[in-house]
Amino acid sequence: MLPELAESRATPPLRPDRPSSPHWWSAHWKAALLLTLASAVALAVASPSLAMQLIVLSLGVALLGVPHGALDPVLGRTLLQERWGSRWWIVFTMAYLLLAGAVLICWKVSPAASLGGFLLISVVHFGLGDVPPAERRGWRGTGQVMVRGLLPIALPVWAQPGQVSEIFGWLAGASAPSASELATLGAVGGALISPLGLWWVLHHGRRSFGGDSHSTREILEVSALILLALVAPPLLFFVVYFCLWHSLRHSLETADERLPGGLSRALRAFVRQAIPMTVLTMIAAVVAWWGLQVGGAVAPSEATVQVIFIGLAALTVPHMMLCFAVQHRDRSPA
């Protein structure tokens, strides 16, 4: 399945003349912003139960979160085919599964350290996904990546430390920080990060007031996420950010860059490739959830959170490493 899917499509390297703001970017941003604001309004009016939150989380991750990594085999072919020829998919699959398995083993041995590591790499991954490549250079670019990457992690900790502490407890066990410790960490972290955040707002504000619409959109995007964090339970904040912003943006960008025939045709190819990989991942998730239920050792809600977030961690590590490797290849001279 894997070689047939990827071999049937050309996978060109990143086009050097590609515009920094593709034509789809504005449409996605407007839709995501409106849905984020609508979610904030709805959650300010009514707070859903934990069961409903878990249903929304599961559906969002299944329909939008997991599929955004479905083009990883396409990136793998781009990276490996020149050296390994038709056997590239064997190397790719083995490396991907080994890295994912290593994450699961680490989580079993040391869940608290694994959770901390997952949060750190998520900061980098989210930041790189939210900051255009042209703006990542130098110390200012690094600061921008860190600010944008920290927001999805830090905002729920700051706004809802009690709920975040409970979730971390499900993921890291007794060694997870308490609500009071998270509140203190959020306060200290806010004091340390605020100067960087203030610089970001002023820097982009000057550009925005000078007529840079891209900077205006960035400020509105961040403001909407801050508003959402104030009213949304952490699980639903994660769904909105991870699915509507990060996953959709990454899917559109990768399809536009790597699949031929225009964005519409590329998205159809993306959906065809995403379906089998998503179904296989969901089957594995259901089996893992059922395994945690055997003997009644883990409550259903706790098992759901563990399967989703530990599973995402296992997929994120090879996904990030692959993205880094392909980006390095694209930047290297031919």
Side-chain angles (χ1 to χ4, degrees):
M1 182 186 300
L2 230 169
E4 292 175 1
L5 282 168
E7 290 290 348
S8 64
R9 299 168 178 85
T11 54
L14 180 64
R15 299 190 298 272
D17 58 342
R18 182 176 175 274
S20 58
S21 295
H23 60 280
W24 54 262
W25 198 92
S26 179
H28 163 260
W29 178 86
K30 292 174 182 176
L33 181 68
L34 288 175
L35 289 171
T36 300
L37 294 175
S39 300
V41 171
L43 291 168
V45 174
S47 180
S49 65
L50 177 59
M52 182 58 66
Q53 293 179 43
L54 292 174
I55 290 172
V56 174
L57 174 67
S58 301
L59 290 175
V61 171
L63 297 176
L64 294 173
V66 171
H68 98 280
L71 288 182
D72 282 357
V74 177
L75 299 179
R77 183 191 176 199
T78 300
L79 186 67
L80 299 171
Q81 189 180 40
E82 183 176 348
R83 179 173 180 180
W84 296 96
S86 60
R87 295 174 296 175
W88 71 267
W89 68 273
I90 300 176
V91 178
F92 167 81
T93 303
M94 290 181 62
Y96 211 94
L97 293 177
L98 284 173
L99 286 170
V103 173
L104 296 178
I105 293 172
C106 288
W107 213 291
K108 182 69 174 179
V109 173
S110 181
S114 299
L115 175 61
F118 176 50
L119 294 175
L120 286 175
I121 65 172
S122 296
V123 168
V124 177
H125 187 52
F126 291 156
L128 291 174
D130 290 344
V131 177
E135 298 188 19
R136 300 174 191 163
R137 302 184 182 95
W139 68 270
R140 290 184 176 179
T142 301
Q144 188 176 347
V145 167
M146 293 304 297
V147 169
R148 293 302 304 273
L150 278 167
L151 283 174
I153 308 296
L155 285 176
V157 172
W158 169 68
Q160 312 284 350
Q163 295 183 51
V164 173
S165 175
E166 184 178 16
I167 296 168
F168 283 180
W170 291 342
L171 296 173
S175 54
S178 65
S180 60
E181 290 172 335
L182 277 179
T184 302
L185 179 63
V188 174
L192 294 175
I193 297 168
S194 292
L196 193 59
L198 180 61
W199 163 83
W200 182 85
V201 171
L202 293 175
H203 173 68
H204 285 266
R206 285 196 301 269
R207 292 171 51 195
S208 175
F209 299 142
D212 189 338
S213 60
H214 178 70
S215 297
T216 303
R217 291 194 294 262
E218 283 190 283
I219 291 176
L220 290 175
E221 178 181 334
V222 170
S223 299
L225 291 175
I226 293 173
L227 175 63
L228 181 67
L230 293 173
V231 298
L235 292 176
L236 295 186
F237 175 88
F238 176 79
V239 171
V240 172
Y241 170 76
F242 181 67
C243 295
L244 294 183
W245 291 101
H246 176 77
S247 297
L248 269 180
R249 183 151 46 197
H250 184 273
S251 299
L252 289 166
E253 183 176 18
T254 306
D256 187 33
E257 290 175 353
R258 306 289 173 180
L259 296 179
L263 183 60
S264 177
R265 181 181 171 188
L267 286 177
R268 289 195 295 270
F270 166 76
V271 171
R272 288 195 299 270
Q273 181 153 330
I275 290 174
M277 296 187 67
T278 301
V279 169
L280 289 174
T281 303
M282 291 304 100
I283 292 173
V286 171
V287 170
W289 186 88
W290 179 82
L292 290 172
Q293 296 297 292
V294 174
V298 181
S301 56
E302 184 176 349
T304 302
V305 170
Q306 288 180 358
V307 167
I308 290 176
F309 285 99
I310 297 176
L312 285 176
L315 296 175
T316 296
V317 171
H319 173 70
M320 270 194 66
M321 295 183 69
L322 182 63
C323 290
F324 276 132
V326 172
Q327 289 167 5
H328 176 73
R329 175 187 181 273
D330 291 334
R331 289 194 299 265
S332 300

